């Protein structure tokens, strides 16, 4: 069970999945990648459940790739109206670390260094928290 | 083919490339990234200024793909061309400049006389007095020394050396596996550390994948920063080495006065190791807890002053200040690379005085 914090409100969300076998775990044993990919899965599911936004496009950046999201059912012909989904995962930190990470994302946006407007989502695996925020450049 | 079809083709190829890189099939991955970049560049050329945000995103994407393909000449050519397009939004100009700088650094490394191990560690500090591209010199020098110390100790641990308590690392360690400081694109204040490839083939007693050093460095840092002693013990079973890594990581962490966040990540990794003020508090508690012996019931006193003298062989350090110098004993467990950078600097010492002599619990730089 994860707590979802969004627009000053808290809600609970249940996630169920099939436990991976040892054969599946072995090639995915990189801790960073597992955290990142787990964060992608949970944040995409949360964004769809809470905001009705689904991933529609993907574009590369220096360190990985960005997801772009738009309302479900939208025919996306360009990036002009879609939002960038900025995902971050915290494997062991408590709630304060998740909140701090979200604050960093908002600060980056405030300084106008990112291709925003965007939706920032941070998942804390240990504390079971997903924090979402809309971030706009100044 | 429309711009959107080109972009979709690029998305597919980039995903395949990423899967190859994840399996460490670098050549196949880079070839696919090059193909993805070609499609993305074609998409960029078909877009016009009426879609500025799309133009920016696709331009950055094409340049990033060329960088991932390690085609640095073409990355430079494309990034400069894209920067010349009118109507490019501010965020894209910023990111293209970063990619351009990355390409220059990578290309220079290829032309250097030394060979670097695969992988590079990027260090970023944020908050406090740190500004975009600038940070207090003494603070950065201290942090670089701490990072270098953790690197050297990781190398020594991998070689199977016993824990070095005094003196610098062996010259062969410094020369054969020297960490290099490389300029990284500004973003708060950032620098990167690359490790020079050993010149002696028998440097490691058994065959070691060079990437192991960088991976192990990051794992040590991550486990120490998270105060996750189980994970740390899995890769560092020796108590003395583990204590040294915890100690060095604590010294790396911010106090919140000069800066409040550090991120260390392998170049290309999406997730870095986050080291914050809370890390320092948590690790300081651990160090103090582990230093508390039987019968040490009283709370340690906090002493402030300038570290004027160190004599590890005779087991003391001396703190100077406005009053008489204070001598503190019980420093034999303290490592040279921890205490060395503190000489003639303001420090905070926690010490107990069970009898007449102060006994050291902990010492750290005062920021």
């Amino acid at each position: 069970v994860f707590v979802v914090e969004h627009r000053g409100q808290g809600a609970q969300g249940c996630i169920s999945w099939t436990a991976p076998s040892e054969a599946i775990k072995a090639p995915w044993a990189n801790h960073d990648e597992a955290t990142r990919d787990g964060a992608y899965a949970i944040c995409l599911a949360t964004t769809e459940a809470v905001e009705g936004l689904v991933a529609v496009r993907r574009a590369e950046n220096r360190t990985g790739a960005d997801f772009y999201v738009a309302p479900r059912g939208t025919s996306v012909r360009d990036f002009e109206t879609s939002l960038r989904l900025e995902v971050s995962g915290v494997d062991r930190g408590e709630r304060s670390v998740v909140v701090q990470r979200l604050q960093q994302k908002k600060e980056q946006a405030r300084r106008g260094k990112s291709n925003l407007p965007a939706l920032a989502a941070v998942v804390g695996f240990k504390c079971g928290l997903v924090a979402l925020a809309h971030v706009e450049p100044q | 083919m429309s711009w959107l079809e080109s972009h979709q083709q690029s998305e597919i190829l980039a995903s395949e490339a990423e899967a190859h890189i994840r399996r460490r099939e670098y050549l196949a991955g880079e070839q696919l990234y090059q193909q993805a970049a070609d499609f993305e560049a074609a998409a960029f050329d078909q877009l016009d200024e009426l879609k500025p945000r799309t133009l920016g995103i696709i331009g950055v994407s094409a340049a990033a793909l060329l960088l991932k393909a390690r085609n640095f000449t073409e990355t430079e050519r494309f990034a400069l061309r894209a920067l010349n397009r009118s109507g490019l939004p501010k965020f894209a100009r910023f990111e293209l400049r970063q990619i351009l700088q990355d390409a220059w650094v990578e290309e220079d490394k290829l032309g250097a006389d030394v060979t670097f191990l695969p992988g590079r560690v990027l260090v970023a500090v944020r908050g406090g007095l740190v500004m975009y591209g600038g940070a207090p010199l003494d603070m950065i020098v201290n942090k670089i020394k701490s990072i270098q110390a953790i690197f050297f100790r990781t190398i020594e641990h991998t070689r199977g050396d016993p824990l070095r308590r005094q003196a610098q690392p062996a010259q062969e360690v410094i020369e054969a596996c020297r960490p290099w400081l490389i300029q990284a694109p500004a973003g708060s204040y950032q620098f990167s550390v690359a490790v020079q490839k050993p010149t002696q083939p028998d440097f490691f007693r058994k065959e070691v994948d060079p990437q192991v050093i960088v991976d192990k460095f990051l794992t040590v840092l991550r486990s120490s920063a998270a105060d996750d002693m189980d994970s740390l013990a899995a890769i560092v079973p020796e108590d003395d080495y583990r204590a040294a890594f915890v100690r060095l990581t604590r010294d790396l962490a911010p106090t919140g006065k000069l800066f409040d966040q550090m991120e260390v990540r392998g170049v290309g990794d999406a997730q870095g190791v986050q080291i914050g003020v809370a890390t320092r508090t948590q690790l300081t508690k651990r160090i103090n807890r582990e230093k508390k012996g039987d019968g040490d019931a009283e709370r340690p006193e906090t002493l402030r002053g300038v570290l004027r003298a160190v004599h590890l062989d005779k087991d003391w350090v001396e703190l100077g200040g406005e009053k008489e110098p204070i001598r503190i004993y019980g420093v034999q467990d303290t490592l040279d690379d921890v205490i060395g950078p503190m000489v003639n600097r303001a420090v905070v010492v926690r010490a107990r005085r069970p009898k007449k002599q102060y006994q050291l619990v902990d010492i750290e730089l005062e920021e």
Side-chain angles (χ1 to χ4, degrees):
Chain A
V1 175
F2 278 79
V3 171
V4 178
E5 287 187 2
H6 181 41
R7 297 181 197 269
Q9 304 279 320
Q12 280 198 340
C14 290
I15 298 169
S16 60
W17 66 90
T18 307
S21 66
E22 288 305 315
I24 291 174
K25 278 184 189 172
W28 292 86
N30 182 301
H31 184 87
D32 282 355
E33 290 176 2
T35 306
R36 181 198 62 190
D37 294 343
Y40 278 153
I42 290 177
C43 290
L44 283 168
T46 306
T47 308
E48 184 171 357
V50 173
E51 289 273 335
L53 299 170
V54 294
V56 289
R57 295 256 78 87
R58 178 190 142 108
E60 300 295 314
N61 58 36
R62 283 165 65 229
T63 57
D66 288 326
F67 284 110
Y68 289 85
V69 294
R72 202 183 293 123
T74 309
S75 170
V76 180
R77 307 295 304 169
D78 55 44
F79 291 94
E80 299 304 304
T81 53
S82 53
L83 293 175
R84 186 166 73 105
L85 178 64
E86 173 111 351
V87 174
S88 196
V90 176
D91 54 351
R92 292 176 191 276
E94 301 296 341
R95 183 180 182 281
S96 60
V97 180
V98 175
V99 172
Q100 188 188 21
R101 183 76 62 85
L102 192 66
Q103 198 55 40
Q104 280 173 11
K105 298 289 175 197
K106 289 161 95 172
E107 183 64 15
Q108 281 172 11
R110 192 185 63 76
R111 291 176 187 155
K113 290 175 188 167
S114 303
N115 47 340
L116 298 166
L119 189 65
V122 182
V123 55
F125 288 98
K126 184 182 173 191
C127 58
L129 174 67
V130 186
L132 279 181
H134 282 269
V135 278
E136 299 284 339
Q138 271 191 339
Chain B
M1 193 181 269
S2 70
W3 84 266
L4 191 56
E5 287 165 337
S6 288
H7 172 66
Q8 285 167 336
Q9 193 59 40
S10 173
E11 281 179 306
I12 293 165
L13 290 162
S15 292
E16 287 175 17
E18 192 181 320
H20 279 281
I21 297 291
R22 188 173 283 177
R23 293 195 295 269
R24 301 198 169 180
E25 296 162 4
Y26 295 110
L27 187 61
E30 285 164 12
Q31 285 170 348
L32 283 164
Y33 272 133
Q34 179 65 54
Q35 292 173 33
D38 292 341
F39 278 104
E40 202 74 319
F44 178 77
D45 288 337
Q46 290 181 64
L47 282 161
D48 58 38
E49 293 167 36
L50 297 173
K51 294 179 187 285
R53 196 156 175 258
T54 309
L55 185 72
I57 290 167
I58 297 297
V60 169
S61 181
L65 286 164
L66 286 165
L67 189 69
K68 289 174 184 177
R70 299 185 62 76
N71 186 345
F72 306 125
T73 309
E74 197 51 42
T75 306
E76 180 186 35
R77 198 172 289 146
F78 179 84
L80 291 171
R81 182 160 71 84
L83 281 164
N84 269 318
R85 279 282 294 262
S86 59
L88 204 68
K90 185 181 165 191
F91 78 82
R93 302 188 69 78
F94 173 79
E95 292 193 20
L96 282 167
R97 283 199 296 262
Q98 286 194 314
I99 290 170
L100 192 55
Q101 209 169 344
D102 269 356
W104 288 336
V105 169
E106 292 299 326
E107 192 154 41
D108 276 358
K109 274 168 60 184
L110 288 179
D113 285 339
V114 292
T115 313
F116 293 98
L117 298 181
R120 191 154 57 93
V121 177
L122 190 73
V123 183
V125 288
R126 301 186 184 93
L129 298 181
V130 175
M131 53 185 266
Y132 178 66
L137 176 67
D138 55 347
M139 179 197 97
I140 291 298
V141 169
N142 280 337
K143 298 309 166 191
I144 290 168
K145 280 182 180 170
S146 294
I147 286 171
Q148 190 182 39
I150 299 173
F151 248 116
F152 283 146
R153 291 199 179 273
T154 305
I155 292 164
E156 289 168 336
H157 183 257
T158 306
R159 273 163 47 102
D161 294 350
L163 183 76
R164 169 178 48 83
R165 291 210 169 270
Q166 294 182 22
Q168 292 295 304
Q171 198 60 26
E172 58 172 7
V173 172
I174 295 173
E175 285 180 1
C177 250
R178 173 175 287 145
W180 281 56
L181 185 68
I182 293 176
Q183 182 194 358
S188 297
Y189 184 83
Q190 295 194 84
F191 57 90
S192 74
V193 181
V195 182
Q196 184 182 330
K197 196 171 184 177
T199 47
Q200 306 166 344
D202 60 345
F203 177 71
F204 290 102
R205 287 167 194 168
K206 54 185 179 183
E207 198 168 311
V208 174
D209 176 356
Q211 182 70 44
V212 166
I213 297 292
V214 173
D215 288 348
K216 188 169 175 179
F217 167 83
L218 289 168
T219 308
V220 161
L221 209 52
R222 179 177 301 103
S223 306
S224 304
D227 198 19
D228 181 357
M229 291 303 115
D230 292 340
S231 298
L232 187 59
I235 51 164
V236 184
E238 303 85 353
D239 291 345
D240 54 358
Y241 258 106
R242 219 164 40 241
F245 283 129
V246 167
R247 188 59 209 257
L248 287 163
T249 306
R250 193 281 304 269
D251 289 352
L252 200 56
T255 60
K257 290 178 187 168
L258 295 178
F259 72 108
D260 51 36
Q261 190 69 26
M262 174 180 277
E263 182 182 5
V264 184
R265 65 178 165 82
V267 169
D269 293 347
Q271 294 272 335
V273 181
Q274 301 292 334
I275 303 173
V277 178
T279 312
R280 191 174 190 101
T281 311
Q282 204 165 4
L283 293 183
T284 298
K285 279 183 191 164
R286 170 168 291 282
I287 291 165
N288 290 352
R289 210 164 49 232
E290 290 182 352
K291 189 81 181 185
K292 187 176 175 178
D294 293 338
D296 291 339
E298 83 269 23
R299 291 173 66 84
E301 287 181 44
T302 300
L303 308 168
R304 287 186 157 79
V306 175
L307 185 65
R308 289 289 182 213
V310 177
H311 205 316
L312 294 182
D313 289 342
K314 292 194 176 171
D315 196 25
W316 55 258
V317 294
E318 204 166 81
L319 212 57
E322 291 174 4
K323 299 175 189 170
E324 288 292 300
I326 302 169
R327 193 165 281 191
I328 299 145
Y329 291 84
V331 298
Q332 274 177 337
D333 289 344
T334 311
L335 305 171
D336 248 12
D337 45 8
V338 167
I339 210 160
M342 298 180 184
V343 175
N344 287 326
R345 306 280 307 274
V347 293
V348 182
V349 170
R350 275 174 291 281
R352 290 192 178 87
R353 189 153 59 164
K355 293 174 186 165
K356 284 187 177 176
Q357 288 181 345
Y358 278 109
Q359 292 291 317
L360 183 78
V361 174
D362 189 17
I363 181 168
E364 56 186 313
L365 271 177
E366 179 149 52
E367 283 187 350

